[in-house]
Amino acid sequence: MDDTSAAQSLAALGHEARLKLFRLLVRAGPNGLNIGEIGRVMAVPPSTLAHHLGTLVSAGLVIQEKRGREVINKADFSAMKGLLHYIEAECCAGVETASQSAA
């Protein structure tokens, strides 16, 4: 994970509807949900749902798997964990400020 991919992932999650959608897919677990199930739970128009799913897929946070005539959407748990690890990787490592370097 680098700054660019982390920023893309965070930007995708920065919309309330996409965050709710991603959290729904996380709750669904590894089996995921088809588009009809997501639409029923979220009560959003199909075109809006397609737009939000497309953004999450492009950001690498959702995987779509075709099963016959339906599309199953799953949270990409390895991408999610990678993003969380990237954010916390330097937690409490300290930052040298200008006043500290002058001393």
Side-chain angles (χ1 to χ4, degrees):
M1 175 89 36
D2 59 19
D3 285 348
T4 302
S5 56
Q8 184 181 14
S9 295
L10 291 169
L13 294 172
H15 187 283
E16 184 179 352
R18 286 192 291 271
L19 182 58
K20 286 180 180 180
L21 172 54
F22 186 70
R23 292 184 73 213
L24 173 65
L25 293 175
V26 168
R27 285 192 310 273
N31 293 329
L33 296 169
N34 69 36
I35 292 172
E37 293 167 327
I38 296 169
R40 280 189 291 282
V41 171
M42 293 193 59
V44 296
S47 61
T48 303
L49 180 56
H51 167 73
H52 290 312
L53 277 169
T55 301
L56 291 169
V57 169
S58 293
L61 294 169
V62 170
I63 299 168
Q64 292 185 317
E65 179 182 306
K66 189 138 171 103
R67 289 188 194 157
R69 292 173 37 177
E70 67 179 358
V71 176
I72 303 299
N73 299 273
K74 303 176 187 182
D76 186 334
F77 291 102
S78 65
M80 180 184 74
K81 289 176 185 175
L83 177 61
L84 293 172
H85 176 68
Y86 178 80
I87 291 170
E88 72 179 4
E90 297 186 36
C91 178
C92 307
V95 175
E96 187 174 318
T97 62
S99 61
Q100 290 172 326
S101 61

